[in-house]
Coordinates of all heavy atoms in Angstrom, one line a residue:
V37 N -40.5 9.2 -20.0 CA -39.1 9.4 -19.5 C -38.8 8.4 -18.4 O -37.7 7.9 -18.4 CB -38.9 10.9 -19.0 CG1 -37.6 11.0 -18.2 CG2 -39.0 11.8 -20.1
A83 N -37.4 18.2 -24.1 CA -35.9 18.4 -24.2 C -35.4 18.5 -22.8 O -34.3 17.9 -22.5 CB -35.6 19.6 -25.0
L92 N -29.4 9.1 -20.1 CA -29.2 9.6 -21.5 C -28.2 10.7 -21.5 O -28.0 11.5 -20.7 CB -30.6 10.3 -21.9 CG -31.8 9.4 -21.9 CD1 -33.0 10.2 -22.4 CD2 -31.6 8.1 -22.7
D93 N -27.4 10.7 -22.7 CA -26.5 11.7 -23.0 C -27.2 12.5 -24.2 O -27.2 12.0 -25.3 CB -25.2 11.1 -23.4 CG -24.2 12.2 -23.8 OD1 -24.4 13.4 -23.5 OD2 -23.1 11.8 -24.4
L112 N -30.1 6.7 -30.2 CA -31.5 7.0 -30.2 C -31.8 8.4 -30.8 O -31.0 9.3 -30.5 CB -32.0 6.9 -28.7 CG -33.5 7.4 -28.5 CD1 -34.5 6.5 -29.1 CD2 -33.7 7.5 -27.0
K130 N -33.1 14.1 -48.2 CA -31.8 13.5 -47.8 C -31.7 13.2 -46.3 O -31.2 12.2 -45.9 CB -30.7 14.6 -48.1 CG -29.3 14.2 -47.7 CD -28.3 15.2 -48.0 CE -26.9 14.8 -47.4 NZ -25.9 15.9 -47.6
I135 N -32.2 9.2 -41.7 CA -32.9 8.7 -40.6 C -33.2 7.2 -40.8 O -33.0 6.3 -40.0 CB -34.2 9.5 -40.2 CG1 -33.8 10.9 -39.7 CG2 -35.0 8.7 -39.2 CD1 -35.0 11.8 -39.6
K141 N -29.5 0.4 -39.5 CA -28.2 0.0 -38.9 C -28.4 -0.3 -37.5 O -27.4 -0.6 -36.8 CB -27.2 1.1 -39.1 CG -26.7 1.4 -40.5 CD -25.7 2.5 -40.5 CE -25.3 2.8 -41.9 NZ -24.3 4.0 -42.0
H153 N -45.0 10.7 -38.0 CA -45.4 10.7 -39.5 C -44.2 11.1 -40.4 O -44.2 10.8 -41.5 CB -46.5 11.7 -39.6 CG -47.8 11.3 -39.0 ND1 -48.6 10.4 -39.6 CD2 -48.3 11.6 -37.8 CE1 -49.6 10.2 -38.8 NE2 -49.4 10.9 -37.7

Side-chain angles (χ1 to χ4, degrees):
V37 169
L92 302 180
D93 180 15
L112 170 66
K130 177 182 177 184
I135 293 170
K141 291 179 182 177
H153 293 277

